[in-house]
Amino acid sequence: MLRNYFAAALRNLLRHRAVSLVNIAGLGIAFAAALLIALYVRYERSYEHFIPGHERIYRISESWRQTDGAFESRETTSQKVAAWLPLDFPETEHVVRMAEQWLSVGPADHEFNEQVFEADPALFRLLKLEAVAGDLEHSLDQPGSVAISRSMARKYFGTDDAVGEQFYIERQPFGRVTAVFEDLPPNSHFNFRIVLTGVGGGALSFADRIPEEANSTMIMHVYFALQPGAKIESLRAQIPEFIRRHHGKDFAQSVRYDVLNIADIHLSPDARAAWRPRGNPRALAALTLVGALIVLIAVINFVNLATARAAQRRVEVGVRKLAGARRRELLLQFLGEGLMHVAVATLLAFSLVELMLPAFCALLDPADGQTPMPAVTFDYWQDPVLLGALLGGALLVGLLASLYPAFVMASLRPANVLKSATPAGRGGARLRNTLVTLQFAMLIGLLYATMVIHEQTRFALNNALRINTSQVVIYNLGTEPGSKHGPGTAFIHAAAALPGVGGITRSYSAPTTADLQYLVHVPGGTDIGVRVMPVDFNFFDFYQVPLLAGRALGPAVSADTFELTEASRPVNVIINATAARQLGFSDARQAVGKTLEPFAWQFDWNGTKVPRPDPITVVGVVEDFPIDSVRRAIEPMVFFAYDPAFQMVSIRVAGDRVPETMQALAAAWKKFGQPRAQEGWLLDGYYRKLYADVILQQRTLALFAGCAVFLAALGLFGLSIYTAQRRTKEIGVRKVMGAGTGDIMAMLLWASGRPVLFASLIAWAAGYYLMHRWLEGFAYRVPVPWWWLPAASLLALVVALLTVSAHSYLVARANPVIALRCE
Amino acid sequence: MLKLEQIGKVYRTTEVETQALNDVSLGIDAGEFVAVMGPSGCGKSTLLNILGLLDSPSSGHYSFFGQDVTTLSESELTRLRRDSIGFVFQSFNLIDDLSVAENVEVALLYRNLPARERRERVAAALERVGISHRARHLPQQLSGGQQQRVAVARALVSAPRVILADEPTGNLDTANGNAVMDMLIDVAKSGTTVVMVTHSLTYAALAQRTIKLLDGRVVSETQLAA
């Protein structure tokens, strides 16, 4: 019996190659798309799983309430928390502090700028990474020890076993390499490649010199392990008391401590001072939904085509029933056929994923120059759980897709089908039309979502920035203003003289972050929290930030330059429009000439207490521009000029000379920027990293929306073939009665396009709601015109009509006599 | 024997009620060859469907070789049909995706017979209708007459007690039609009851009895002169 079933199924598949191909290819492509998405989601959820015992390793960080009442989350906390933890929570162990800075590494003839991490000795007892050489667990026990990754060992020493090699920082001998560890995989929020202890100017070293009773804090990342048997919920429950004990009742409502398992960090909400871009759980959920929709579209195609073909198998069903086949036996036969299609489609999907995985990973690559490309793998032969889940999923989808057509065919009554040579009835046409409508609704929704996400991404990368970041290279002059490395005056002069340089400015930080915060008010007003940023006189001209009122700061006015003096002196500042508004000025011009008073003044520069400036006068108001992400509202800013604070140099490179100018800048730095190695970084790259998840959504949605369009068109094409076949007699009669080719085409095209109208009603409501919710995640959103919804419908209609028009034309042109004779 | 007593069949839709058969009573003896004639729409196919247990009467009783079938369940009817009735159709109704031998085998697939026995019976049936040399061919590779031979073989392979033929020569030329009639006569002579619907007076005359229907009623029964 099985041989008979198999023979019928296989020959039927081969005899109707076109439709079989549509079905199998459609399912295969859909499975492949869904599989790629599932593998990526699995990868995003696998962060830190490579660390043995990761389930017991946690990070503690703090959030502080801002003046608007919201908490600003950070990935860091103070060194005091690291000291308090083991005392207050004896169930913790291996409490480790980590801090990083960019330093010159290597001897003079092989020197590069690297992100160097300082850590407590217990780091590699906490994180039991794979060692390549040396005793990794105890590699940081002695001050001046260095542990490096395999790639760093090869880069600086040409060997994996670099234990014992001399390590250089800032061209000075620092210590020796004590261990080499395996490179961290991309699915980790850790990104260290060089870890050392006891670097003189590092945050940990500073922190160790701060008396316990002092108010000063150094910000760093703090991790710890929970002892076996201890429960994290118990620790978390004691945090409120921890806060009261160490911060007092007054601050208990202003600070919050977050204790996160390291495996949860990657998908936790955005926070400042992250080492690597965060994942976005909402984006993953959206992608998962898209994957499910794609599979659903393919299943709808399968069901539609299978039920349309049911009429062609009516003779077989009738004969088998006459021969005594029960409904159950026919059901199993046709279910088996459906599953055979699914099995072939699954094999096709596996092959497609193997082929496309490298390109898919490249698509996911943020290409920001720092974040590694995701290493999504498809190792089903090594992971029985994955293989089982894939096969189980394919089986489930196969059953879902095959069940209804099998029921339709098994339910055909032999008496109704064996007498007539023509297909009996409309064979489930109502369900087919419903499914096609649903398919188009999903397609229109996907097209609309793609349009919105594309525009919001473009808006975030361009318009929302409000500053001109085009071809701007940032150089870091050093972290110690007034240090022997100097503010880089010679380098700046040399750079300015290069023909490919269009402009130069200086600032404390790049326009991507402003970590200095103060509370200020106007006399008689309330305090607002402001971010403070020292900038050069031409900063706003360079970044094309318009002046709304007043004037810019300049060298001609003495008070326009902040100076360190023993006595208090006036200083002029510029504020942004948001600061003016929050200080109580409805018009920016009203703020000009007003004075600011800080809530408290505690400012020391390199250990020297600075007297409070008096007065602090607002001389100008500039247009807002976002510091950091457009997900956050623009914050009030105060700008002033202080030459020694200018660590960052922004250099605009002319459009047609980028490679040559970059090389010339590198040469100028090598000549004048000694002794630190330096590699300028493009500001655009920073924003690409900042919006990596949005860019990812844009790319992946565009890819998978295109896949959905293709599948919908494929299914529509197959269905149109059957519709035309079923209506052969009708078309023949109409042509004999005088219908022209155009009339027949219009009839067939209308049948294909009509579902779009009904689908639009569903898609517009769902699409508008979902995309409105997505846009709420951004403080600054692209305006979405109302006509994008009908535009998406129109696009779907065009796809539908183009898909069936060629075949409809051929059918409409056929000789009606042939059609009627066949009937 | 097949015994119909006051059989009526009404088809109802939301708008129309059609009386396909009205008070039809007749008996067909075992091994008898009966032809059923009448104009289109007179109820011939309905009668055949009821005789073949494909449809149930709206009224009356149907006794199939002594067993009242009007109260049987669907599975019981299926079993009875499988074991006792063979069908031959005007449009052959062969399965295009199966070979000649596989088409004939379909009639035995649902009887739990060993594969070997199925093959032997299929071979014998093909031999009987003279088509065994085409056992591996597909239906679309055969002529109309050859396809109908295969259909007859499929009807015979299960050794049924009754063969119901619905215009078996309707799509055939004279020569092939004659050949099919010869096979049916031969089958009837071997003891199988044959009921044949036909429009052809010539072929009806080959039967032992001709029943004429009009508007759902039996209007005449003509016995072939011995």
Side-chain angles (χ1 to χ4, degrees), chain A residues 50 240 372 401 427 712:
Chain A
F50 69 98

Side-chain angles (χ1 to χ4, degrees), chain A residues 61-141:
Chain A
S61 59
E62 63 189 45
S63 310
W64 283 88
R65 191 188 293 275
Q66 306 300 296
T67 50
D68 62 356
F71 277 90
E72 182 189 73
S73 296
R74 301 189 69 95
E75 299 220 344
T76 50
T77 186
S78 79
Q79 84 284 1
K80 297 190 177 188
V81 172
W84 295 333
L85 260 182
L87 299 173
D88 287 28
F89 302 108
E91 64 269 39
T92 61
E93 60 182 14
H94 303 318
V95 179
V96 168
R97 303 167 300 170
M98 292 185 76
E100 81 285 358
Q101 54 182 315
W102 286 85
L103 295 170
S104 164
V105 169
D109 58 346
H110 193 63
E111 186 182 13
F112 297 91
N113 216 29
E114 302 281 2
Q115 194 177 20
V116 176
F117 286 76
E118 195 186 358
D120 282 326
L123 176 67
F124 294 113
R125 289 190 279 281
L126 177 71
L127 306 177
K128 289 182 173 32
L129 303 183
E130 187 181 342
V132 174
D135 180 5
L136 186 61
E137 277 195 27
H138 299 99
S139 59
L140 300 178
D141 286 356

Side-chain angles (χ1 to χ4, degrees), chain A residues 307 310 321 327 330-331 334-335 402-412:
Chain A
T307 52
K321 282 200 164 183
R327 196 166 147 177
L330 289 171
L331 203 62
F334 292 118
L335 261 181
S402 308
L403 211 56
Y404 178 74
F407 264 115
V408 167
M409 286 195 270
S411 303
L412 290 173

Side-chain angles (χ1 to χ4, degrees), chain A residues 288-452:
Chain A
T288 305
L289 179 65
V290 169
L293 286 179
I294 287 174
V295 171
L296 191 57
I297 289 173
V299 165
I300 289 173
N301 282 349
F302 186 92
V303 170
N304 277 341
L305 287 175
T307 52
R309 289 169 56 201
Q312 293 201 338
R313 304 290 293 275
R314 74 199 183 286
V315 167
E316 179 178 353
V317 169
V319 166
R320 288 188 187 272
K321 282 200 164 183
L322 286 180
R326 286 164 290 192
R327 196 166 147 177
R328 182 182 68 218
E329 284 156 331
L330 289 171
L331 203 62
L332 285 174
Q333 177 191 347
F334 292 118
L335 261 181
E337 279 191 29
L339 289 176
M340 191 173 82
H341 280 83
V342 170
V344 177
T346 304
L347 285 174
L348 175 65
F350 273 42
S351 307
L352 284 174
V353 169
E354 293 270 16
L355 280 171
M356 290 168 54
L357 197 55
F360 184 62
C361 289
L363 182 77
L364 300 173
D365 187 0
D368 58 12
Q370 291 181 20
T371 313
M373 191 166 72
V376 180
T377 55
F378 185 37
D379 49 354
Y380 55 91
W381 64 92
Q382 288 180 323
D383 189 343
V385 172
L386 175 64
L387 184 61
L390 293 178
L391 295 179
L395 181 66
L396 191 65
V397 171
L399 284 173
L400 185 72
S402 308
L403 211 56
Y404 178 74
F407 264 115
V408 167
M409 286 195 270
S411 303
L412 290 173
R413 289 174 59 83
N416 291 345
V417 300
L418 290 172
K419 173 66 178 176
S420 169
T422 53
R426 289 168 49 79
R430 184 178 295 177
L431 177 70
R432 241 189 333 277
N433 289 337
T434 305
L435 291 177
V436 170
T437 302
L438 189 62
Q439 205 173 32
F440 271 112
M442 289 189 282
L443 186 63
I444 294 168
L446 275 173
L447 288 172
Y448 177 68
T450 304
M451 289 158 66
V452 171

